[in-house]
Amino acid sequence: QVQLVESGGGLVQAGGSLRLSCTASDIFFAINDMSWYRQAPGKQRELVSTITRIGSTNYADSVKGRFTISRDIVKNTVTLQMDSLKPEDTADYYCNAHNSWSRHDYWGQGTQVTVSS
């Protein structure tokens, strides 16, 4: 069955780095766009980054130059490398798979990222 499991969240000081991983079960990257979303308290859910089924990447303006999304087809994982973290990056981060055929979205349970000042 389809399952997305995030890991790698935690507490880090401003300027530090974290690497988030999403392990995707029964997800084929060839037909799914993979994304990271985040939601901070009192704010709307925000699209952070996407790597499409053809491998192209997109980033929110707020994270450009600091975050990098990648995928490992062999391991079936999606990674979000977060560098130069800022307190405003504090949020719950969610892995998302969008099936381009069915238009169905799958979501992970999320992992918490806290950046202290």
Side-chain angles (χ1 to χ4, degrees), residues 38-106:
R38 68 185 182 187
Q39 186 164 20
K43 293 188 176 181
Q44 298 282 342
R45 184 181 62 187
E46 175 189 23
L47 174 62
V48 177
S49 183
T50 297
I51 183 163
T52 72
R53 59 193 184 275
I54 63 172
S56 60
T57 58
N58 299 288
Y59 299 92
D61 288 341
S62 59
V63 307
K64 285 182 179 178
R66 300 188 298 118
F67 290 9
T68 303
I69 191 170
S70 62
R71 65 184 182 181
D72 188 324
I73 297 176
V74 175
K75 296 181 179 179
N76 224 55
T77 58
V78 179
T79 298
L80 185 68
Q81 176 67 41
M82 305 186 295
D83 298 319
S84 301
L85 283 163
K86 304 175 181 180
E88 51 262 44
D89 295 318
T90 296
D92 291 328
Y93 284 72
Y94 299 90
C95 183
N96 166 272
H98 179 76
N99 187 299
S100 63
W101 291 359
S102 66
R103 297 185 179 181
H104 185 79
D105 284 289
Y106 301 93

